């Protein structure tokens, strides 16, 4: 028997067994292509949850950082949240990593003992290196043991070695020869009269050298077996055997053992000593730990296999799962901050449990199976919501967390100059500033002078650095936003950014893609458009010549100004 205990990334079944003593983590995610508020609010909400004793919450991210985020975290000596790009449930999340297995040399008795002890329906069959050779189930073993009156030979057949019989019976060995050779033998009980014993033996076509005879203290049958040259003579009931019989067995090189059980029990146990080679199913369904649960469900929908095997690249067994395992709800749990639309969420969010949402944007389209905590407030940032939770519950954040929440507020409201800013942000900055040990204006200088996204990033990275995908009816579109100190750097990369925006639109199969370039100093923006001519003609902002760039005076907020304008534009066009 082999016991594989696979530790590490996929040892989730064992973790599940410890749920009463150690909760699994709930990861807090901001949106894809995160901005400062998405990262800062995830870190701040983790700190808030820990402060109220919910330490299972852990900040995470599903996108890359940028210069502004790096500057904030460097100032407050806080590490970037761990990256998790996909939470789609995989086989590795639900498989059982501690697996009881057998080999082809294992006996039916050994397999049945494991099946009974661990309450399983099947056992993987592996070689000495742990590579899969097949699967043996309780149904296959049952078929072997169920009496078949029309096949008397099959009922007597045992494919095993003498040593396995000795081990199964815990027998006393009086003489044994060639005990490790696998042989096809046939077991019989020597219960008939001595006059019919030999003839009955021949009538059934059983040669003596392939016969196992089970008998009690009938000296005549014992001697007749020695004369016939049977392969194995088993004396039952732990009875004494005459020295003369033992000596004759040695002379004839006939294996002779004593069973502690009666004849009926002994013959049954001998059959269980059959090796499972030839009984197991070599064609089995194998999966990778990285296979998606949704894909596996489709593959096994019409299968009735009792167990499915998980292997590594070398075809070595690393786990197993059953249909009941795969049909259970995912144990992965996540909380979302700064977004509430699936198109902006971490990959796989629709297939796991969403426990909470904190956001300050329009309501999206995330369905949940159960009621959840959903805080959606018309404020300037998600960090405003988290900071207000600290303040309302009379909790004082650590100085670094206070600074991080200030950063999210300042970044999202352009230091209270955005139309999304509310009186709450001003109040919170006044409360947080002494705790963090920095004035809002000084922190704003650090954030907004952290570096130009246009200069420090490739055009494709500029488009994706803070990009959100939206669903409006059956249409999908994206809006990216970058903030610069003036437009000079943008004009130098104008053509490259336009091409990158169109490439992104095609790649994501979007109706259109916008890039909003905001000047922090003037509080004006430029809008770069990738879309069809009808869309461009419908935009009623001033156009820069014949280009795909429009001047949006006084527009700085994607959420409060541009997205409502887009919704109105699409309705005017009659496409939603």
């Amino acid at each position: 028997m082999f016991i594989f205990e696979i530790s590490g990334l996929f040892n989730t079944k064992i973790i599940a067994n410890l749920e009463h003593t150690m909760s699994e983590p709930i990861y807090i995610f901001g949106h894809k292509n995160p901005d400062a508020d998405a990262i800062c609010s995830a870190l701040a909400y983790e700190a808030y949850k820990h402060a109220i004793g919910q330490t299972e919450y852990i900040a995470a991210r599903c996108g890359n950082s940028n210069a502004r985020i790096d500057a904030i975290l460097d100032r407050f000596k806080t590490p970037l949240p761990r990256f998790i790009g996909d939470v789609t449930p995989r086989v590795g999340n639900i498989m059982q990593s501690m697996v009881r297995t057998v080999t082809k040399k294992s006996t039916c008795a050994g397999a049945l003992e494991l099946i009974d002890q661990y309450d399983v329906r099947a056992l993987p069959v592996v070689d000495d290196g742990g590579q899969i050779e097949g699967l043996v189930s309780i149904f296959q073993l049952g078929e072997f043991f169920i009496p078949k009156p029309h096949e008397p030979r099959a009922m007597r057949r045992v494919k095993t070695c003498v040593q396995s019989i000795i081990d199964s019976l815990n027998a006393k060995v009086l003489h044994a020869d060639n005990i490790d050779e696998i042989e096809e033998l046939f077991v019989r009980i020597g219960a008939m009269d001595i006059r019919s014993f030999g003839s009955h033996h021949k009538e059934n076509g059983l040669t003596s050298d392939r016969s196992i005879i089970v008998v009690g203290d009938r000296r005549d049958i014992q001697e007749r077996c020695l004369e016939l040259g049977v392969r194995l003579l088993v004396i039952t009931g732990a009875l004494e055997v005459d020295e003369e019989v033992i000596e004759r067995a040695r002379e004839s090189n006939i294996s002779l053992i004593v069973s502690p059980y009666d004849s009926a029990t002994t013959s049954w146990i001998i059959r269980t000593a059959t090796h499972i080679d030839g009984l197991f199913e070599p064609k089995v369904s194998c999966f990778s730990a990285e296979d998606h649960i949704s894909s596996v469900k489709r593959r096994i929908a019409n299968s009735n296999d009792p167990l499915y095997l998980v292997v590594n690249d070398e075809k070595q067994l690393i786990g197993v799962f059953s249909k009941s395992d795969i049909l259970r709800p995912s144990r992965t749990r996540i909380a979302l901050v700064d977004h509430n639309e699936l198109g902006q969420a971490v990959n796989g969010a629709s297939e796991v449990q969403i426990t909470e949402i904190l956001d300050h944007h329009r309501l999206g389209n995330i369905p949940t199976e159960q009621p959840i905590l959903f805080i959606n407030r018309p404020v300037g940032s998600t960090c405003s919501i988290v900071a207000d939770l600290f303040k309302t519950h009379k909790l004082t954040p650590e100085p670094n967390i206070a600074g991080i929440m200030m950063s999210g507020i300042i970044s999202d409201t352009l230091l209270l100059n955005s139309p999304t800013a509310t009186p709450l942000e001003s109040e919170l900055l006044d409360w947080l500033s002494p705790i963090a040990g920095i004035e809002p204006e000084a922190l704003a200088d650090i954030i907004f002078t952290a570096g130009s996204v246009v200069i420090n990033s490739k055009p494709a990275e500029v488009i994706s650095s803070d990009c959100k995908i939206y669903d409006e009816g059956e249409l999908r579109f994206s809006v990216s936003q970058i903030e610069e100190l003036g437009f000079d750097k943008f004009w130098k990369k104008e053509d490259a950014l336009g091409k990158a925006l169109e490439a992104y639109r095609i790649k994501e199969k979007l109706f259109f893609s916008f890039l909003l370039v905001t000047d922090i100093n003037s509080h004006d923006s430029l809008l770069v458009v990738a879309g069809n001519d009808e869309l461009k003609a419908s935009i009623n902002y001033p156009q820069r010549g014949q280009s795909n760039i429009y001047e949006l005076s006084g527009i700085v907020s994607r959420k409060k100004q541009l997205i409502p304008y887009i919704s109105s534009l699409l309705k005017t066009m009659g496409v939603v």
Side-chain angles (χ1 to χ4, degrees), residues 249-352:
R250 289 180 180 141
E251 291 173 357
S252 303
N253 211 17
I254 294 172
S255 295
L256 176 62
I257 63 176
V258 178
S259 165
Y261 307 105
D262 59 52
S263 296
T265 304
T266 297
S267 61
W268 169 259
I269 293 176
I270 289 174
R271 287 211 71 208
T272 69
T274 295
H275 289 192
I276 65 171
D277 185 16
L279 297 181
F280 70 88
E281 174 55 59
K283 295 180 180 179
V284 291
S285 300
C286 292
F287 298 87
S288 164
E290 288 297 311
D291 286 341
H292 289 188
I293 296 295
S294 55
S295 171
V296 173
K297 282 182 179 178
R298 291 191 295 269
R299 289 170 59 185
I300 68 173
N302 298 318
S303 169
N304 293 315
D305 292 350
L307 203 64
Y308 301 95
L309 312 180
V310 188
V311 298
N312 60 19
D313 292 340
E314 286 72 44
K315 300 300 180 184
Q316 293 174 315
L317 181 71
I318 61 171
V320 298
F321 66 92
S322 65
K323 263 192 175 178
S324 58
D325 290 322
I326 211 166
L327 293 175
R328 292 190 185 101
S330 171
R331 291 196 305 270
T332 302
R333 296 178 295 168
I334 62 174
L336 306 182
V337 294
D338 202 37
H339 68 299
N340 70 93
E341 299 192 40
L342 283 176
Q344 301 169 15
V346 60
N347 291 338
S350 62
E351 299 179 48
V352 300

Side-chain angles (χ1 to χ4, degrees), residues 147-206:
K148 303 177 183 65
H150 60 287
E151 298 179 32
R153 283 174 62 90
M155 293 171 62
R156 303 177 185 280
R157 180 177 174 273
V158 181
K159 188 175 183 181
T160 187
C161 64
V162 171
Q163 184 62 59
S164 292
I165 295 174
I166 293 170
D167 293 338
S168 296
L169 289 169
N170 194 23
K172 177 182 178 182
V173 180
L174 301 180
H175 177 71
D177 175 62
N178 196 19
I179 59 176
D180 294 319
E181 180 184 353
I182 304 297
E183 304 173 74
E184 185 178 57
L185 305 173
F186 295 88
V187 61
R188 292 178 61 220
I189 297 178
M192 69 279 293
D193 187 87
I194 187 60
R195 292 171 294 181
S196 58
F197 178 72
S199 59
H200 184 273
H201 196 67
K202 292 178 181 178
E203 288 171 4
N204 283 276
L206 304 176

